[in-house]
Amino acid sequence: MGEVVASRRTLAKRQRIALASTLALLALIPTAWVLFSGARPAIAATEGKQGNTPPAAAVSAGSGKAAAPAQTAGEAISEVLRHPILRNAQVGLMAVDLDRGRTIYAYEADRLLNPASVVKLFTGTAALQILRPEYRFKSSAWTTKKLDQKGTLAGNLFIRGGGDPTLVSERMWLWVTEMHHLGLRRVEGDLVIDESFFDGDRVGPGYEEENTDFAYMAPTGALSINFNALGVYIRPAETAGQLAKVSIEPQIPFFELDARVQTKARAGRYLLVGSHPRADGRQEVKARGWIGKDESMKVIWRKIDNPPIYAGETMKDLLRRRGIQVTGKVRVGKVPKDALPFHTFVSRRLSEVLDDLNKYSNNFVAEMIVKTIGAETMDGPGSWKTGTEAIRRFLKRDVGIQPDTYVLRNGSGLNDTNRFTAAQVVRLLDYIYRTREIAYELIPSLGVAGASGTVRKRMTSDLSHHKVRVKTGTLTGVTALSGYVMSRDREVIAFAIVANGLKVSSRRASAVIDRIAEALSGLPLEGGPTTLAKPLVRGKP
């Protein structure tokens, strides 16, 4: 794959050269943040409990007990790396002080590993730089004739998708309402969905490795709704022995529901819900199992397989509810060249969409963004090929990561597909931090330790609570954590930890890896080791 760039030495040298601009940015961030959002900077330490006072004791990386104040972050990290869970895995780690341009700790930082959903950092950063933070996805309605005086359209209503990953039923209702206020009352024709903004591939590289109907495997579509997923709501009947109440959201003819869930007197539940495509293009949903009569309602999310028909049937139903009758059917087609623009519906700003991407690690949003990047920057419809190529050009031109030193095939990080090094992830974090228009938008989209996103229930101790902003990554055998830490001396640390080949659950692996972020946040950075004195040998201490 060629020489891996961003080694510890070259990265530290480049950061020392950029120190002046980095410090200037840090000085600007608090003022700008208060002016524009009324909040403190995204990576600033929370004020209150700890302030600038170092913690009296820190959590031991090895045992979870109180550690002597003299322990350094480097010593604690070395203990974590020798933990049995990580000792038998392939691990890459790098932590850099962005204010001083020095490496705090590095271990196998140039090893190519699967970073799982940490790849979304690359997707989101590239999108902000290429599309710009103010970018809005545009979905549009077209006609071939004008409305008559009664609001009747004598012909088809064409809907062209623009790749909006955040279009949900509530926002589509707003879209339909706006068309109602434009005078539309009746469509004497079909509702035609134009998907030409994207190519015909529904799922990206790596998705073929997993055959499941879980919502995180949802396909893409230029016109999509509800993240191309449906909710199946199950609640017990009042009496044991009766069938439970099962319903679907949205309730549209697109779905065929077959539900046989029993209500039982015992506590608990055992539910099996499946979603499968039908030959006629609709979706079949089956629900089986049982639920205790005293249990609360349970919602289970599943993907759909036909995005344009799903979105079109949802729109047709909402048009009907708003008093607009469509006499024809929903079908896929293209907007004619001589069509007239009727209405354009825009999404939230791209910077706002990043919360779904990073805080909640939404795979569907990531892949929709990749294909949109391809559609907006390359010839032809958006695809994974054109989208990832645009991201590679950005990484080479702006971040300094050469395209032959990593593997990028999709935007979500799903399955055994992508490869990056910990050093490359930290180089990207350094770029984000130094580029104010990116930092202001992307850093707030990261999960906050103990407070929000995928880490809302992790790192809740005083050492790290609200002092760590990160992107997580989780697959079978893979756990990753990357982002920013505010140290006890109020230094901003960028770090990346990637572990592959794990033999334990992601919950157990995350509990160990989190201790590295806690050490960087709560222990002295000076005086300790910056790497393991003796590299780990798999299976040996």
Side-chain angles (χ1 to χ4, degrees), residues 1 11 40 83 141 191 218 276 298 374 410 419 450 464 493 503 529:
M1 287 188 157
L11 178 58
R40 289 304 303 267
H83 192 283
L191 189 60
H276 309 285
K298 174 70 174 177
N410 67 36
R419 294 292 186 274
S464 52
I493 311 300
K503 305 300 182 183

Side-chain angles (χ1 to χ4, degrees), residues 69-133:
Q71 188 183 38
T72 66
E75 292 168 340
I77 292 172
S78 295
E79 287 183 23
V80 174
L81 290 176
R82 292 190 179 95
H83 192 283
I85 287 178
L86 296 184
R87 194 171 61 223
N88 294 308
Q90 299 90 42
V91 180
L93 164 65
M94 192 167 199
V96 171
D97 180 346
L98 294 179
D99 299 337
R100 301 184 184 182
R102 64 188 177 103
T103 299
I104 303 299
Y105 203 97
Y107 177 74
E108 297 289 341
D110 295 323
R111 172 184 282 186
L112 278 171
L113 295 168
N114 184 349
S117 283
V118 167
V119 164
K120 293 183 176 75
L121 286 175
F122 293 86
T123 302
T125 305
L128 287 172
Q129 182 59 44
I130 296 170
L131 301 176
R132 309 309 296 168

Side-chain angles (χ1 to χ4, degrees), residues 354-424:
L354 292 187
D355 264 13
D356 293 324
L357 176 70
N358 291 325
K359 273 193 176 67
Y360 306 106
S361 202
N362 191 304
N363 294 335
F364 169 78
V365 172
E367 307 301 358
M368 292 282 280
I369 288 175
V370 167
K371 297 189 81 169
T372 298
I373 290 174
E376 294 286 14
T377 61
M378 302 285 189
D379 293 332
S383 66
W384 276 279
K385 181 179 180 180
T386 57
T388 55
E389 175 59 28
I391 295 174
R392 279 189 284 269
R393 293 180 184 181
F394 154 74
L395 291 175
K396 178 180 180 180
R397 180 187 67 245
D398 293 9
V399 187
I401 302 177
Q402 299 303 313
D404 60 347
T405 62
Y406 61 89
V407 179
L408 176 68
R409 298 183 64 216
N410 67 36
S412 65
L414 192 66
N415 292 327
D416 190 19
T417 306
N418 305 296
R419 294 292 186 274
F420 283 93
T421 70
Q424 288 170 336

Side-chain angles (χ1 to χ4, degrees), residues 113-172:
L113 295 168
N114 184 349
S117 283
V118 167
V119 164
K120 293 183 176 75
L121 286 175
F122 293 86
T123 302
T125 305
L128 287 172
Q129 182 59 44
I130 296 170
L131 301 176
R132 309 309 296 168
E134 62 276 10
Y135 180 86
R136 294 177 186 267
F137 301 88
K138 297 179 180 179
S139 307
S140 53
W142 299 74
T143 66
T144 53
K145 297 179 181 179
K146 293 184 177 181
L147 305 183
D148 66 16
Q149 293 183 348
K150 294 182 179 180
T152 298
L153 172 63
N156 299 326
L157 178 62
F158 297 88
I159 304 296
R160 176 180 287 163
D164 185 353
T166 64
L167 186 62
V168 293
S169 296
E170 294 82 355
R171 288 190 58 78
M172 184 173 275

